[in-house]
Amino acid sequence: MNATAIVFYALAGLACASAFMVIWSRNVMHSALYLVPTFLSVAAIYVMLRAEFVAAVQVLVYAGGILVLFLFVIMLVNVKAVQGARLRLHGAVSGSIGAASIALLLSVYGRGRILAAAPDGGKLTEFGGNLETVGWVLYNEYLLPFEIASLFLLVAMVGAIVLARHKA
Amino acid sequence: MDRDTIEHIVIPTGQVLVAVAIVPLIIAYLQLVERKVLGFMQVRLAPRRVGWHGLLQPIADALKLLIKEDTTPAMADRALFTMAPIITVIPALAALAVIPIAGQPFELFGYTINPWISDINVALLFLLAISSLGIYGIIVAGWASNSKYSMLGALRSSAQMISYEVPLGFALIGVMMLAGSASMVKIVEAQKSAGWWFVGPQLLGFFCYFISAVAETNRVPFDLPEAEAELVAGFHTEYSGMKFAFFFLAEYTNMIVVSSIVTILFFGGWLRPFPNIEALAWLENGWIFLVPLVAGASIGWLIDQRAGTGLRWMFAGGLAGAAAGAAIGVTDAFGLASAAIPALSGAFWFSLKVSFFLFMYIWFRGTYPRYRYDQLMGLGWKWLIPLSILNVVGTGLAVLLRA
């Protein structure tokens, strides 16, 4: 095993272990905080794949934005009320869905599709880096889907504000 | 050890160690400077008991913090309570990794050493990402303390930092568009080839960035998370000893990082003033100008102290020193001006500019009253975000029309 593989497996192991702790932990705050090492190790794996831009955005958006809002909400609601929840029907349903997704992922991995889709460095060097490449592809080949996605987000934002205003 | 190991492992490790060792020392004295300047602004004597004019005060403070009792509240979440100061300080120090303090590499024992730890092409995004992680320390500290004051401080802080991250990010986009890169070194080089500092075309961006950055570092006038009149000390109410010192270290490291970013993005980093005017090339060797200025001002100040003439002689001495320095520089007397070492003079100008912005922080603290919470949110969402978006659109149009 070479050094790259060792680093990869260490990061992947950390990501999986802390993801496991997210659902295992009884304390909601601990649960949410265990997501941070998951996000960070996934970002580190992106760096290993020479996708620095995706790594930075992963940390910025997920760890720096979304999760902070999670914590914000957790601090505002009464945490004690949630702590007593037990595994019942919900647990069985979500558990089987999770098992099915893992089986699907493993079967794809077994067929070697992931390795076949490994990135080639040609385009990266052509544009001078990951940041430039992502920008070029996003605003040329995928301009329409990108704009539609941002429109969706805008609609969701307006919707949330409308809902919040009705309550008040 | 072969050459490859030394270049890729030993030298970066050494650079990291130097940065992590020097920055707390700078912070200790920055804090003394802050107390001295605030004392001057408030017409009172600042610390002057420990050492000559209080010069050993930071060391006494550090010793005090080290040997102080380290208490943990009985109902606190122990693990998170201990981790919070560490979570706060690591991102603050990690941000130093992408800050270049000079433009030219220098030679040491036959190895070329860059005056930056790493020059990555997503440096600006890295800085935004890593500084957004700093919020965790504050939230975790406030929550784990199990105290109402800490909790309220943490809630305020997270709301404030999320709000001001938006204009902060938008303000950087203008610079990225002008430079065509997100790498710190390339941004400074773009300012050199553009012939002026980006504060000219990006004046609006600079104001948006600096105001948001002061808010991100939780400093006056945006120090609501620790508003001592309302919240005792906010999120770090329950902390003492070294754990408290870690929050302190993180806050001041963030100030240094913000000042460095402002310097690099808007004020030409390690470039001398007016980088495109050949006649001022002697400024490369900045201390030719500055050393006589400081020497003259100090002699004048001593005369003032003896004669009780206010600061009259200090200004006169400074002016005379500056004139003498400029004369030496322009005429290149003694060959001093042409003997510049690029890395050293770069570091000189860089630290001079960074010191100025650190002084601005202290100046704000001595001048402005704290914002009210609704004023803070109003300023962020109604003024800074629209203005920074306007700056992005305007810069984009200008770049497009010139191309």
Side-chain angles (χ1 to χ4, degrees):
Chain A
M1 211 155 51
N2 58 357
T4 318
I6 293 172
V7 173
F8 171 76
Y9 282 114
L11 289 170
L14 181 65
C16 291
S18 54
F20 178 74
M21 287 308 291
V22 172
I23 47 172
W24 189 254
S25 177
R26 281 262 174 236
N27 189 325
V28 189
M29 193 76 179
H30 291 180
S31 227
L33 283 175
Y34 271 119
L35 271 175
V36 180
T38 313
F39 289 147
L40 291 185
S41 35
V42 171
I45 292 174
Y46 285 141
V47 172
M48 289 182 71
L49 293 170
R50 295 181 64 193
E52 306 94 359
F53 173 70
V54 186
V57 169
Q58 156 94 6
V59 175
L60 187 61
V61 173
Y62 285 95
I66 293 174
L67 197 56
V68 172
L69 290 174
F70 275 18
L71 295 179
F72 200 68
V73 172
I74 291 171
M75 284 205 288
L76 288 173
V77 299
N78 186 6
V79 178
K80 294 256 158 44
V82 196
Q83 262 178 345
R86 299 243 168 256
L87 286 173
R88 290 263 168 87
L89 182 66
H90 278 125
V93 172
S94 49
S96 44
I97 293 176
S101 333
I102 290 177
L104 188 69
L105 275 178
L106 285 179
S107 72
V108 173
Y109 182 73
R111 285 174 204 178
R113 294 261 171 85
I114 292 177
L115 294 178
D120 65 305
K123 230 176 185 167
L124 283 181
T125 42
E126 183 188 337
F127 291 109
N130 185 250
L131 180 63
E132 290 83 349
T133 316
V134 170
W136 186 260
V137 173
L138 206 57
Y139 286 102
N140 280 296
E141 286 173 43
Y142 298 104
L143 181 64
L144 195 63
F146 178 69
E147 291 299 333
I148 290 173
S150 51
L151 202 66
F152 273 135
L153 286 176
L154 183 68
V155 169
M157 216 153 70
V158 172
I161 292 170
V162 167
L163 285 175
R165 281 187 79 91
H166 266 290
K167 284 260 174 73
Chain B
M1 270 189 288
D2 56 307
R3 202 178 168 85
D4 205 45
T5 325
I6 291 179
E7 265 174 4
H8 289 103
I9 294 170
V10 177
I11 290 178
T13 314
Q15 287 175 316
V16 169
L17 286 178
V18 167
V20 171
I22 283 183
V23 164
L25 197 70
I26 295 174
I27 287 169
Y29 277 90
L30 174 63
Q31 204 243 347
L32 180 70
V33 170
E34 175 164 26
R35 290 164 78 172
K36 283 280 180 194
V37 171
L38 281 179
F40 175 73
M41 286 175 180
Q42 296 163 352
V43 202
R44 59 181 168 82
L45 291 175
R48 49 184 295 150
R49 291 269 163 178
V50 193
W52 187 73
H53 279 270
L55 268 181
L56 295 177
Q57 184 72 40
I59 292 160
D61 284 344
L63 274 176
K64 183 200 77 175
L65 284 167
L66 268 172
I67 57 177
K68 231 180 161 184
E69 188 191 355
D70 192 6
T71 55
T72 308
M75 295 294 283
D77 187 320
R78 282 186 166 270
L80 287 183
F81 188 81
T82 315
M83 271 168 69
I86 305 170
I87 301 176
T88 320
V89 90
I90 288 176
L93 288 173
L96 296 169
V98 291
I99 290 174
I101 58 170
Q104 304 282 331
F106 55 93
E107 299 275 329
L108 198 67
F109 304 124
Y111 292 97
T112 312
I113 296 175
N114 287 323
W116 53 78
I117 295 173
S118 78
D119 175 34
I120 50 178
N121 72 341
V122 289
L124 274 183
L125 283 165
F126 171 82
L127 276 171
L128 282 177
I130 208 92
S131 67
S132 70
L133 290 179
I135 309 179
Y136 283 109
I138 292 173
I139 297 182
V140 169
W143 186 83
S145 298
N146 201 10
S147 147
K148 288 186 179 62
Y149 295 122
S150 306
M151 179 79 149
L152 284 172
L155 276 175
R156 275 189 184 185
S157 176
S158 42
Q160 175 181 330
M161 287 170 95
I162 291 174
S163 308
Y164 278 83
E165 235 165 53
V166 182
L168 192 84
F170 272 123
L172 297 180
I173 293 178
V175 173
M176 274 196 252
M177 280 199 269
L178 285 184
S181 172
S183 136
M184 299 298 227
V185 177
K186 288 215 182 87
I187 286 173
V188 179
E189 275 161 6
Q191 294 179 66
K192 192 171 191 180
S193 53
W196 56 348
W197 295 347
F198 280 161
V199 68
Q202 286 293 310
L203 194 62
L204 192 59
F206 163 66
F207 276 115
C208 288
Y209 179 80
F210 196 50
I211 295 170
S212 320
V214 173
E216 283 280 302
T217 40
N218 293 331
R219 292 281 299 187
V220 180
F222 303 100
D223 60 336
L224 285 98
E226 45 186 300
E228 68 271 8
E230 305 147 34
L231 293 176
V232 190
F235 63 89
H236 58 60
T237 304
E238 305 291 343
Y239 282 89
S240 59
M242 267 327 269
K243 288 192 189 125
F244 169 74
F246 265 38
F247 283 119
F248 196 80
L249 184 68
E251 181 181 324
Y252 280 77
T253 313
N254 281 329
M255 277 165 61
I256 292 181
V257 168
V258 162
S259 306
S260 311
I261 297 173
V262 171
T263 302
I264 291 164
L265 297 190
F266 299 102
F267 287 85
W270 59 81
L271 301 177
R272 64 184 162 84
F274 309 107
N276 56 334
I277 299 177
E278 272 302 314
L280 289 172
W282 56 274
L283 274 175
E284 283 291 340
N285 214 346
W287 47 80
I288 292 184
F289 178 71
L290 210 78
V291 168
L293 193 156
V294 172
S298 316
I299 294 168
W301 182 75
L302 282 175
I303 296 173
D304 280 331
Q305 291 284 305
R306 290 284 147 98
T309 42
L311 295 175
R312 213 171 300 153
W313 284 103
M314 190 186 96
F315 286 119
L319 275 178
I328 295 174
V330 172
T331 54
D332 197 6
F334 322 116
L336 276 174
S338 33
I341 304 162
L344 266 182
S345 46
F348 170 79
W349 283 114
F350 179 77
S351 37
L352 196 69
K353 293 172 195 170
V354 171
S355 315
F356 174 74
F357 288 106
L358 289 172
F359 178 75
M360 292 272 283
Y361 265 105
I362 302 169
W363 200 354
F364 287 166
R365 183 166 166 190
T367 315
Y368 292 126
R370 182 179 305 128
Y371 271 100
R372 216 172 51 216
Y373 193 70
D374 58 319
Q375 292 173 329
L376 172 93
M377 285 295 157
L379 178 73
W381 290 96
K382 290 183 194 158
W383 288 100
L384 288 180
I385 292 181
L387 277 178
S388 53
I389 293 177
L390 187 75
N391 181 48
V392 170
V393 175
T395 313
L397 276 177
V399 169
L400 209 64
L401 288 178
R402 278 181 57 181

